[in-house]
Amino acid sequence: MSVTRGARRAKPRTRKRPTRRPRSRTRRMSPRRRAQRRMQRLKVLRRIAWSAAAVVVVALAAVLIPLGLAHEKPLAICLTDPSTYPDAGIEGWQGEQLENAATIMQTATALGFGRDGQILGVMTAMGESSLHNIDYGDWETSGFTNPDGSRTTSIGLFQQQDWWGTPEQRMDPATAATLFYERLARVHDWQSLDPSLAIHRVQINLDPAYYTRYSADATAVVEALSAPC
């Protein structure tokens, strides 16, 4: 069959070559390398776990320790053991002052005086010497004289003058307390008197109401030191 002029020649058919998938460039990991990777991941996980545990422990400690301290029973105060007295003191009275208060209280008990007598003794020493066993008195600090014009000779916890006893007796807290209570016992019906007035009858000071300001502190000290231990 002849081909007509002008007719287009048919293009020869070309076969389509099948497309090949590109080869993966990643090489297959060796067992050794895979084991190393696993070990590294385990190490990282362990570090994360330890860090999380540490955070939990610190958080629990921050919560539980204060709670434990809040419920911890305070140490008992023993009258006869100064090492148990609170460092912060009692109503501002501390250290040697509390030791002298304890001596006054023990002396009162030994002489048959109860809580009221203990409070009076501590009130007196608070007002006279701030519970310090000092070897000077009103003459040295303020130039006070006796009614007859002579120098006052008061010393010790109770600021007792010469007619109370020897300097050694007045400077010994227990003996000075004994001298005070012996005179208090001679005040008629002292228990029914106002505490400051009862003390005034013993000390013969200028202001009968002077010791009232120490009543609350003396009561707090006596109650704290009287607690069972």
Side-chain angles (χ1 to χ4, degrees):
M1 186 175 174
S2 60
V3 180
T4 310
R5 287 183 182 179
R8 293 180 183 176
R9 292 182 180 179
K11 291 183 179 179
R13 291 182 181 178
T14 57
R15 285 187 181 179
K16 262 188 179 182
R17 293 182 180 178
T19 56
R20 294 181 180 177
R21 294 181 182 178
R23 292 182 179 178
S24 177
R25 292 185 179 180
T26 57
R27 294 180 180 178
R28 192 171 183 180
M29 194 179 297
S30 67
R32 184 178 179 182
R33 183 63 177 163
R34 284 200 300 271
Q36 288 176 345
R37 286 275 181 94
R38 281 198 298 270
M39 289 299 293
Q40 288 175 352
R41 283 197 294 269
L42 284 173
K43 285 181 181 179
V44 172
L45 290 173
R46 283 198 192 103
R47 287 175 185 171
I48 294 172
W50 279 112
S51 299
V55 170
V56 172
V57 169
V58 171
L60 286 174
V63 174
L64 295 178
I65 290 176
L67 287 175
L69 293 175
H71 292 88
E72 187 177 353
K73 187 178 179 181
L75 293 175
I77 299 174
C78 290
L79 178 66
T80 57
D81 186 1
S83 67
T84 65
Y85 300 167
D87 292 335
I90 302 168
E91 297 297 329
W93 306 88
Q94 56 189 358
E96 176 202 359
Q97 294 170 308
L98 294 181
E99 291 181 35
N100 288 327
T103 298
I104 294 169
M105 292 170 61
Q106 291 176 83
T107 303
T109 300
L111 295 173
F113 288 86
R115 177 178 175 276
D116 290 344
Q118 291 177 335
I119 291 173
L120 258 64
V122 174
M123 279 176 65
T124 305
M126 283 180 172
E128 295 290 351
S129 64
S130 294
L131 282 173
H132 290 295
N133 195 28
I134 52 179
D135 60 356
Y136 56 88
D138 292 335
W139 168 254
E140 289 81 0
T141 57
S142 307
F144 279 10
T145 59
N146 292 312
D148 61 1
S150 62
R151 294 181 179 183
T152 55
T153 56
S154 52
I155 57 174
L157 283 177
F158 293 88
Q159 288 292 283
Q160 295 158 332
Q161 296 203 59
D162 285 343
W163 55 80
W164 283 81
T166 66
E168 292 77 19
Q169 289 175 319
R170 290 177 285 152
M171 285 299 297
D172 178 68
T175 306
T178 299
L179 295 173
F180 170 81
Y181 284 115
E182 285 176 349
R183 293 211 176 191
L184 179 64
R186 294 200 291 267
V187 175
H188 177 68
D189 202 18
W190 65 266
Q191 296 93 335
S192 63
L193 297 175
D194 176 83
S196 185
L197 180 57
I199 296 170
H200 170 71
R201 296 279 177 89
V202 176
Q203 297 293 108
I204 317 297
N205 63 318
L206 295 175
D207 181 9
Y210 168 71
Y211 302 96
T212 301
R213 70 193 72 178
Y214 301 102
S215 177
D217 281 5
T219 301
V221 168
V222 169
E223 288 182 351
L225 294 180
S226 298
C229 58

